[in-house]
Every structure is written in structure tokens, then in C-alpha cells.
Amino acid sequence: MKSSFARHRVLPRSFYKGDPREVGPALLNKLLVGRGRAGRIVEVEAYLGTEDPASHAYHGPTRRNATMFGPPGRLYVYFTYGMHFCANAVCGPEGISRAVLLRALAPVAGIELMRVARGPAVVDRHLSSGPAKLCQAFGIGRADDGADLVTGDKDLVIADDGTPPPARSAISGRVGVASAAEVPWRWWVEGDLNVSRGTSRVAVVL
DNA sequence: CTTTGGATCGTCT
DNA sequence: GACGATCCAAAGG
């Protein structure tokens, strides 16, 4: 297991320092690796913190969103709808609370572990085809808020295996947000079967 | 203190 | 396509 990821390069902190509208699409086709599992990032959304009505950080720092105001390259994990966790890669600069929501992964390794975490009735293409599903598949929860994706202190990193982002990413408005839903800050790998709902509608292709 | 509604998912129709 | 589950952070009084 470990040897098969030997040539993977963990993304450096500098990767996360920019605007999430650039970091987000750049994360497509990168790998979330850890806990004996790996998944290719195939869908993301950008959130612009205090400047974004749809962001949890829009009204300023709170206990819940504190991680987003911290340094880039960490994982902001939040609890929602009474039962789900979702995970974001925090972007820079520090204090502006910008982040990229990880919305879907294509399972690459550790699929048996994901099946155990997600349940026996779940087909492979839905093991991590949503922001809460991928957290469940990786066992990501409350304790992982603030995990460092560069040092891997919680056994979670994002790595590059040499696969570039798609030349043509599909784009749409963000899913499930009540405000600023029209801004086109959602990107996914066109045609990937693990992408979450809503790919048939909007979808501009660059 | 109380109220409100959520960056979702699975099930049912 | 619609809806219920189920908790809690944040806003308002």
C-alpha cells in the first residue's frame, strides 16, 4: 500500500495560498490520501469567506469556522443537517477565510475500507460521490477539523500523482446554497461517474 | 433563552 | 421529484 504511493508528491503549503477560484480547479485530479485509502478529487466548489454570502465565514470568525481563518493547507470540517460532515481545503492568505469544498472523489485505493464505512448496499460509484459521502468513506469527522494536509498530522494529505487537471473542466453554480447560488464557482471532471448531482443542468465547459 | 434553517443523503413515490 | 431525519451554530429577543 505505502509503496504504491511512493512517487506521489504531497502538495506544498504554497499550493493553497492563492484564491480558491484558482486552487479549486487546480485540485481536480489530485488525490486525497490517508487511512489506507485514496480518492481522486473530481468535484470542488470555491467559497470566498467574509466576502461570500454563502460561506460559513461571511459573518466573521466564530468557534465553528475558526479553521478557515487560520493558515492555508488545513482541513476545515463542519457538521451539518444534524448528521453529516463536509470537508474543505483552507486557502490563503491567512485571516481571509477562503476555502475549497471537496464535493466528490473517485475511489482509487482502499475501496474495501470505504465499503465498510459506507455500508454494504452502496455501489462503488456512490462511495464518495458527495461532500458528506466522501467524509464518511474516509472516516472524516469532528476530530479532523484543522488537520494539516501538508504535514499529514491526521493521516490525511492531498497529493499529486502526475495527473494534470482536466484540460476542459465543467462549471456550474454551487449546489445547495441559498445565496449567491448563481456564481459559477463549482468545477468537476466532465463525464466522471463519481460526480454528485446536478451535472445535467447548467454546465458550461471551458 | 428561543428560534431558525442548513455547503446533505437516502428513501419513497 | 419530494421529503424526513436529526443536531447544533448563530442570530435575534
Side-chain angles (χ1 to χ4, degrees):
Chain A
M1 174 66 75
K2 188 177 293 182
S3 60
S4 65
F5 293 102
R7 69 190 203 85
H8 293 182
R9 179 179 134 275
V10 174
L11 299 181
R13 196 160 321 274
S14 59
F15 184 93
Y16 302 97
K17 285 186 175 161
D19 189 300
R21 289 168 292 189
E22 295 174 5
V23 176
L27 278 172
L28 291 178
N29 282 336
K30 298 295 187 289
L31 295 172
L32 179 64
V33 182
R35 304 175 179 188
R37 288 156 253 213
R40 193 170 302 282
I41 297 169
V42 296
E43 181 185 352
V44 297
E45 284 177 356
Y47 287 85
L48 294 211
T50 51
E51 300 156 50
D52 180 1
S55 170
H56 292 163
Y58 184 55
H59 299 290
T62 64
R63 184 194 219 88
R64 180 202 207 187
N65 65 27
T67 297
M68 270 198 288
F69 285 87
R74 305 232 285 232
L75 196 68
Y76 165 52
V77 178
Y78 66 90
F79 180 70
T80 192
Y81 290 105
M83 61 189 83
H84 297 303
F85 291 97
C86 298
N88 301 249
V90 175
C91 297
E94 186 168 350
I96 308 298
S97 67
R98 295 173 168 174
V100 173
L101 173 66
L102 305 179
R103 281 199 57 91
L105 307 174
V108 169
I111 295 177
E112 296 302 328
L113 292 171
M114 296 188 196
R115 288 201 188 105
V116 170
R118 292 274 297 134
V122 176
V123 299
D124 285 5
R125 64 176 284 187
H126 289 136
L127 285 175
S128 48
S129 63
K133 295 177 189 176
L134 72 88
C135 282
Q136 193 178 5
F138 271 74
I140 293 171
R142 199 179 307 278
D144 300 307
D145 183 38
D148 195 325
L149 296 170
V150 180
T151 66
D153 59 354
K154 294 282 178 42
D155 193 16
L156 288 170
V157 297
I158 297 179
D160 185 351
D161 72 342
T163 307
R168 303 159 75 83
S169 296
I171 300 177
S172 81
R174 294 173 293 182
V175 176
V177 297
S179 50
E182 71 285 353
V183 295
W185 294 344
R186 176 197 189 205
W187 298 265
W188 69 90
V189 177
E190 178 93 56
D192 191 283
L193 296 178
N194 300 276
V195 172
S196 72
R197 67 197 165 99
T199 55
S200 56
R201 31 171 209 182
V202 214
V204 183
V205 177
L206 280 186

